[in-house]
Amino acid sequence: MRHWKTNEEMGEGYQFNQDEHNENEYNYLVVVDEHETNTMRTKYLIRDVWDLDTLIDLKVHLDDMIQDKANTQDGIANLSEDAYVG
C-alpha cells in the first residue's frame, strides 16, 4: 500500500488496502482543525504522562522529521547539524 501523502510504498499488512483506504476516508489528517495544531496538550502529556521510553521514541521521531524537513524545505535546505542543538 502507498502512503496517502508521500505516495511511498509502505508494505503489506495494513488494515485497509488502497481502495478501502480511500472509501473509508481514513486520511483524517487531510483536513486538520485549528485546535489540533495547538501543541499545548502534547506539552502536558510530555510533562505529566509519558515515561522516558516514550519520550525517547518521540525525540527520535522529532529529530528525524526536523532533519527531513530541513533537507527538503525551501529556505532552510542548508541547515547544518551544528545549527540544531538537540
Side-chain angles (χ1 to χ4, degrees):
M1 186 165 114
R2 296 201 168 272
H3 187 272
W4 68 273
K5 184 174 181 182
T6 64
N7 207 28
E8 292 178 6
E9 184 60 44
M10 297 189 320
E12 303 300 325
Y14 292 91
Q15 183 176 0
F16 300 122
N17 65 30
Q18 187 67 42
D19 292 334
E20 292 168 328
H21 192 74
N22 293 335
E23 287 173 17
N24 291 309
E25 296 180 358
Y26 187 69
N27 302 329
Y28 64 91
L29 292 177
V30 171
V31 177
V32 179
D33 293 334
E34 185 178 344
H35 74 276
E36 293 174 318
T37 62
N38 186 327
T39 61
M40 191 50 86
R41 178 175 169 79
T42 303
K43 292 174 183 174
Y44 287 133
L45 289 168
I46 289 169
R47 184 189 70 193
D48 300 334
V49 178
W50 295 345
D51 64 11
L52 183 58
D53 289 338
T54 304
L55 293 175
I56 291 170
D57 183 53
L58 176 62
K59 181 183 184 315
V60 168
H61 179 71
L62 287 173
D63 287 346
D64 289 346
M65 293 296 99
I66 290 167
Q67 191 61 51
D68 208 31
K69 285 183 180 275
N71 289 335
T72 58
Q73 285 186 343
D74 292 338
I76 57 172
N78 294 323
L79 180 68
S80 69
E81 289 288 325
D82 298 336
Y84 172 70
V85 179

